[in-house]
Amino acid sequence: VQLQASRGGLVQAGGSLRLSCAASGRLFSNYVMGWFRQAPGKEREFVGHMGWSGGRTYYVDSVQGRFTISRDNAKNTVYLHMNSLKPEDTAVYYCATGRIWATKASDYDYWGQGTQVTVSS
C-alpha cells in the first residue's frame, strides 16, 4: 500500500485548507484511514480517522467541528477538510492506513509523506 499526500500550504488564521491522500495498492474494505500531525518539538498527534468502507469518523476534541474527513472511493482518495484554522494547527500532517480502529500512530501500518501546514496569526 502506498499513500501520496497532497501539498499543504500557508494559510491565515480563520482560513481553510484541504489535504488529500491518494491510496494505491491492495486496500481492504475494512481498512481505516487516519490523519495525524506533528508540530515541532511535539509528538505525533492523532487528528481523526474514517472507516474506508463505512464512512464512520472520529476526531480529536481539538479539531472537532472544524475538521472533516471525507473520501472518494472511485479515486481511492481520502480528504482532510480543515476550516477555521488556528496557529496551533501548524504542523506536518500525515495520512496513514491500518486495520485497527485506533488513535495510536503505532497501530497504523502504512504512512504517506508528511506535508507542512502553516497557519499564520
Side-chain angles (χ1 to χ4, degrees):
V1 176
Q2 293 184 328
L3 302 177
Q4 180 68 44
S6 61
R7 182 180 299 180
L10 172 65
V11 63
Q12 288 188 333
S16 299
L17 194 64
R18 188 189 76 170
L19 302 180
S20 65
C21 180
S24 61
R26 191 178 185 186
L27 279 174
F28 295 96
S29 61
N30 59 343
Y31 268 41
V32 176
M33 298 296 298
W35 287 93
F36 289 78
R37 65 186 180 185
Q38 188 165 18
K42 295 187 177 181
E43 293 185 355
R44 193 165 297 188
E45 174 192 29
F46 170 80
V47 174
H49 56 192
M50 165 179 274
W52 184 252
S53 60
R56 179 166 60 126
T57 57
Y58 174 77
Y59 305 93
V60 68
D61 286 347
S62 60
V63 307
Q64 179 70 45
R66 299 188 299 120
F67 290 14
T68 304
I69 298 173
S70 66
R71 74 190 191 282
D72 184 336
N73 287 348
K75 296 181 179 180
N76 269 2
T77 299
V78 174
Y79 302 94
L80 178 65
H81 306 264
M82 302 182 290
N83 299 313
S84 301
L85 282 161
K86 305 175 181 179
E88 51 263 43
D89 294 319
T90 295
V92 176
Y93 283 71
Y94 298 88
C95 60
T97 188
R99 290 164 288 181
I100 300 173
W101 185 254
T103 60
K104 291 192 303 180
S106 59
D107 285 327
Y108 286 77
D109 303 314
Y110 303 97
W111 290 81
Q113 85 284 10
T115 186
Q116 178 69 46
V117 172
T118 302
V119 183
S120 62
S121 57

